[in-house]
């Protein structure tokens, strides 16, 4: 139902008819939104013999940790945003799933990540990074 955005190739006609990716996602779900908007107008395809080297999570610092507060903020914000935009009837179950995921973070004592995810669900601005000082 969508193509991963790290290695997309689209026709000019797609851009002209569907438009650009939505900037309000910033991170996560932008390619899913884009493909959803093009559904029924264009076919999705892939090149099975191609190779793409993509260091997933490297730019936001999640590759080694499996999920930072920043990445979880954008992931949860974009999940809610996408659902509200395309599937508003499913918003309640998606919010329930988000609450469950946040609860599991709290049980694992991942408080900053849970707080960031909660702020994303509520569509609140993310908290600025705390500057580190040398003691």
């Amino acid at each position: 139902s969508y193509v991963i955005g790290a290695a997309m190739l689209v026709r000019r006609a797609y851009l002209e008819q569907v438009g650009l990716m939505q900037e309000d996602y910033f991170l996560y779900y932008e390619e899913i939104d884009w493909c959803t908007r093009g559904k029924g107008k264009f076919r999705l395809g892939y090149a099975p013999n191609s190779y793409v080297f993509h260091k997933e999570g490297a730019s936001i610092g999640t590759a080694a940790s499996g999920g930072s507060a920043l990445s979880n903020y954008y992931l949860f914000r974009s999940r809610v945003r996408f659902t509200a935009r395309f599937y508003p009837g499913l918003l309640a179950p998606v919010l329930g799933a988000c609450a469950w995921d946040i609860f599991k973070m709290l049980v694992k004592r991942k408080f900053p990540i849970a707080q960031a995810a909660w702020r994303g669900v509520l569509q609140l601005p993310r908290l600025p990074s705390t500057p580190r000082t040398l003691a």
Side-chain angles (χ1 to χ4, degrees):
S1 60
Y2 72 96
V3 177
I4 295 173
M8 283 186 165
L9 179 66
V10 298
R11 294 179 181 190
R12 180 178 177 168
Y14 192 92
L15 292 171
E16 291 171 346
Q17 291 181 38
V18 177
L20 299 173
M21 289 185 183
Q22 295 292 110
E23 292 183 10
D24 62 335
Y25 288 103
F26 178 68
L27 191 64
Y28 303 117
Y29 282 82
E30 66 276 10
E31 72 266 57
I32 301 171
D33 176 287
W34 207 29
C35 291
T36 302
R37 288 188 285 132
K39 190 175 182 177
K41 300 175 188 172
F42 294 89
R43 291 181 301 124
L44 300 178
Y46 73 102
N49 295 326
S50 55
Y51 291 94
V52 176
F53 297 96
H54 175 55
K55 292 187 177 186
E56 187 175 347
S59 62
I60 196 164
T62 60
S65 68
S68 67
L70 183 62
S71 68
N72 274 278
Y73 167 79
Y74 285 116
L75 177 64
F76 279 74
R77 185 184 80 157
S78 294
R79 182 187 301 171
V80 171
R81 191 166 285 186
F82 175 81
T83 304
R85 184 170 284 156
F86 291 101
Y87 305 102
L90 296 175
L91 193 55
V94 167
L95 290 172
C98 289
W100 179 249
D101 288 343
I102 293 168
F103 173 75
K104 291 187 292 186
M105 291 173 195
L106 292 171
V107 168
K108 293 178 182 178
R109 304 183 61 79
K110 296 182 177 184
F111 301 121
I113 294 173
Q115 180 187 34
W118 181 244
R119 293 183 73 78
V121 167
L122 297 178
Q123 307 285 303
L124 297 173
R126 69 181 183 88
L127 295 172
S129 299
T130 306
R132 294 183 182 179
T133 58
L134 296 175

